[in-house]
Amino acid sequence: MNSQENSSGTPSSPAPAQQTRRAQPVTLRQVAEAAGVSTATVSLVVNNKKAARISDETRKRVHDAIQDLGYRPNAMAQTLVSGSSRFIGLVADAIATTPFAGQIIHGAQDEAWKHGYALLIANTEGNRELERDAIAMMLEYKVRGILYSTWFHRATDVPDSLRESDFVLVNCFAEEPGARAVVPDEVQGGRSATEVLLKHGHRRIAFINATTPAPAKDGRLQGYREALEAEGIPFDNSLVLEAFPDQEGGYGATEGLLKLGVTAVYCYNDRMAMGLYDGLREQGLSIPDDMAVVGFDNQEVIAAHLRPPLSTVSLPHYELGAAGVRMLLGLDAEQASGPEKIYCPTVERNSVRALAPA
């Protein structure tokens, strides 16, 4: 291949690649010139100073110039003026790495965007030093407030530095006065899970609860009792078993369950129900013909893909995140005392059917 030559006969060097020019930001002065006003007037309009004596017609000219020129206000400068930024912080112990609980982030982010805020997220994995640094960074950015969340519903201690900002606890709560919180309604969820079985004619219903102390353990048991009592069925403590809340726990509870002579069982969570499925099959029993099963959590990777798909109660992670933002911004009516409880909807699939007549 012949190289290109210049007029002197020597090979010419390839033309240098054309550098991409960075667009220069539009200045306040350019907006002022386009609108025919002073830079001070533009600044007052940009910072939304309602008390400034600026006519509606002038405000419109400034906004039109901003739109036409593509002017972007200096967010840091606005923060210095207002004392608050358009950021909301979210500090979590593990929800970003927990698939179903990650919906808390999704809900908070969607709700924040809806009201003109962006979310700053720090996932600390329970590291107190990292948590302290994350909160400090958010305070430096003058966030509007901070959501503090845990991946499972529990009581928590409020970090001292969190009190330097407006904050809302999400999926957790604290006993101290003034600590606002949004949590799932565990009692209502337990009631709904049991009602799914009751409406299909089941009357002798077992509950496999967790061994580990938690608000979910107490609340889901209380909901089970309330649903039975509402149907005039006396609570029978012998029908309540306890197991570790995972697949092995549910599998191990099978033998004890089959001694109870029940037609249906409500499990503390979906992982426990998954283990119970295996145990019942090993005994040659069919779901839902021989035993109706309901879980809790609606952990999609489990519940929707069991055979048959599992009827369950959904933990409202998305709505918890969204409700936390609304509470932080003062958009939701707050309860007089205690956390705001978020409704847990049922998801009916094929693990429950009407009880055949005896």
Side-chain angles (χ1 to χ4, degrees):
M1 175 181 291
N2 295 326
S3 62
Q4 292 182 335
E5 296 184 356
N6 58 24
S7 58
S8 64
T10 57
S12 59
S13 301
Q18 187 175 4
Q19 292 185 345
T20 303
R21 292 185 178 180
R22 293 182 59 185
Q24 294 297 312
V26 177
T27 67
L28 203 70
R29 182 177 296 280
Q30 288 172 311
V31 174
E33 290 173 353
V37 298
S38 68
T39 55
T41 298
V42 175
S43 179
L44 291 169
V45 173
V46 166
N47 290 300
N48 200 28
K49 296 295 185 180
K50 300 290 188 183
R53 295 179 179 178
I54 301 172
S55 69
D56 290 342
E57 189 273 333
T58 299
R59 287 183 186 273
K60 183 178 184 307
R61 288 210 319 272
V62 172
H63 284 302
D64 287 345
I66 288 171
Q67 180 98 15
D68 292 342
L69 297 174
Y71 173 73
R72 296 181 186 278
N74 186 319
M76 292 306 295
Q78 288 184 316
T79 297
L80 291 173
V81 171
S82 67
S84 178
S85 71
R86 302 301 292 179
F87 289 116
I88 290 173
L90 190 153
V91 177
D93 61 356
I95 63 173
T97 53
T98 307
F100 64 100
Q103 286 293 310
I104 289 175
I105 293 176
H106 190 185
Q109 183 170 270
D110 284 354
E111 193 68 23
W113 274 117
K114 189 186 300 183
H115 301 290
Y117 289 86
L119 209 61
L120 291 179
I121 303 167
N123 192 62
T124 67
E125 296 296 334
N127 183 316
R128 285 292 185 181
E129 184 176 352
L130 180 57
E131 177 182 274
R132 185 176 62 251
D133 290 346
I135 293 173
M137 178 271 291
M138 291 176 181
L139 293 175
E140 288 172 6
Y141 273 88
K142 297 187 180 297
V143 293
R144 169 62 180 78
I146 297 175
L147 305 182
Y148 184 85
S149 184
T150 56
W151 78 269
F152 73 94
H153 180 191
R154 62 179 175 86
T156 191
D157 296 322
V158 178
D160 289 339
S161 57
L162 196 62
R163 297 185 180 89
E164 297 179 39
S165 172
D166 196 10
F167 70 90
V168 171
L169 305 176
V170 178
N171 206 34
C172 54
F173 61 94
E175 299 297 340
E176 66 179 69
R180 296 178 296 166
V182 288
V183 298
D185 191 338
E186 305 283 6
V187 175
Q188 170 267 315
R191 193 165 54 241
S192 294
T194 311
E195 287 169 352
V196 169
L197 297 166
L198 290 167
K199 78 176 184 179
H200 284 89
H202 296 277
R203 291 297 178 267
R204 190 164 175 81
I205 301 168
F207 174 40
I208 307 178
N209 204 356
T211 52
T212 49
K217 177 183 179 181
D218 297 335
R220 295 175 194 184
L221 174 61
Q222 182 181 336
Y224 165 77
R225 294 186 63 154
E226 289 181 5
L228 293 175
E229 290 166 1
E231 288 291 312
I233 302 171
F235 171 71
D236 183 350
N237 194 56
S238 69
L239 299 185
V240 179
L241 306 177
E242 289 192 354
F244 194 78
D246 64 4
Q247 185 174 1
E248 290 302 315
Y251 177 81
T254 307
E255 184 177 351
L257 175 72
L258 294 179
K259 294 177 180 177
L260 300 177
V262 297
T263 63
V265 57
Y266 149 44
C267 296
Y268 171 84
N269 66 18
D270 294 344
R271 289 177 296 160
M272 192 179 281
M274 179 167 60
L276 182 63
Y277 266 49
D278 293 337
L280 291 172
R281 284 204 183 92
E282 284 188 6
Q283 298 296 321
L285 299 176
S286 169
I287 301 168
D289 295 332
D290 299 312
M291 186 74 69
V293 182
V294 170
F296 204 113
D297 287 352
N298 193 31
Q299 195 168 348
E300 285 282 339
V301 70
I302 295 175
H305 300 287
L306 288 173
R307 293 293 179 268
L310 178 67
S311 292
T312 186
V313 172
S314 182
L315 277 175
H317 289 109
Y318 181 94
E319 183 54 31
L320 285 169
V325 169
R326 290 195 298 270
M327 181 176 284
L328 189 69
L329 298 178
L331 302 175
D332 272 354
E334 298 174 29
Q335 293 184 350
S337 63
E340 178 182 338
K341 294 181 179 178
I342 305 300
Y343 183 83
C344 300
T346 55
V347 181
E348 294 194 45
R349 297 191 176 98
N350 303 116
S351 62
V352 179
R353 61 176 293 179
L355 184 64

